[in-house]
């Protein structure tokens, strides 16, 4: 059985290079669907025009595939609903003054 908390911990290694904050703290992970040994993740980006979108999606998939028990993973990029700073961890948002 794949531990969702282990998946989220692993995703903390995927960082937005501009903000140097991870995708979990930023609230970019919209959904994790764990079925047997497969993980499907829906994620967004802080901007639809993000120049490193492909890199972040690939990095997230690689990190997911490195989690104990995960045989395969796919990452779906979505902008529905659009990301807003309200999705961020409240402590980080307060630290950033947002």
């Amino acid at each position: 059985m794949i531990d969702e908390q282990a998946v989220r911990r692993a995703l903390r290694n995927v960082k937005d290079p501009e903000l140097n904050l991870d995708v979990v703290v930023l609230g970019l992970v919209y959904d994790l669907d764990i079925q047997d040994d497969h993980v499907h993740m829906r994620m967004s980006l802080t901007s639809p025009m993000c120049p490193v979108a492909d890199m972040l999606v690939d990095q997230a998939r690689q990190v997911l595939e490195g989690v104990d028990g995960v045989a395969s993973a796919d990452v779906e990029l979505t902008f529905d609903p659009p990301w807003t700073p309200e999705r961020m961890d409240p402590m980080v948002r307060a630290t950033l003054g947002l």
Side-chain angles (χ1 to χ4, degrees), residues 9-34:
R9 277 192 306 273
L11 287 169
R12 289 184 175 267
N13 292 306
V14 180
K15 294 191 178 191
D16 180 299
E18 185 177 347
L19 300 172
N20 198 32
L21 294 170
D22 68 75
V23 296
V24 175
V25 167
L26 285 170
L28 297 174
V29 177
Y30 280 18
D31 185 49
L32 287 171
D33 182 27
I34 300 170

Side-chain angles (χ1 to χ4, degrees), residues 37-41 60-66 70-75:
D37 62 356
H38 178 78
V39 177
H40 174 79
M41 180 174 101
R61 183 186 46 74
Q62 290 171 4
V63 163
L64 290 171
E65 289 175 345
V70 176
S72 63
D74 65 278
V75 177

Side-chain angles (χ1 to χ4, degrees), residues 79-96:
F79 293 100
D80 184 28
W83 178 87
T84 64
E86 286 75 34
R87 293 192 57 91
M88 292 175 72
D89 179 284
M91 296 289 285
V92 173
R93 195 171 61 234
T95 300
L96 295 174

Side-chain angles (χ1 to χ4, degrees), residues 41 44 56 66:
M41 180 174 101
S44 192
L56 288 173

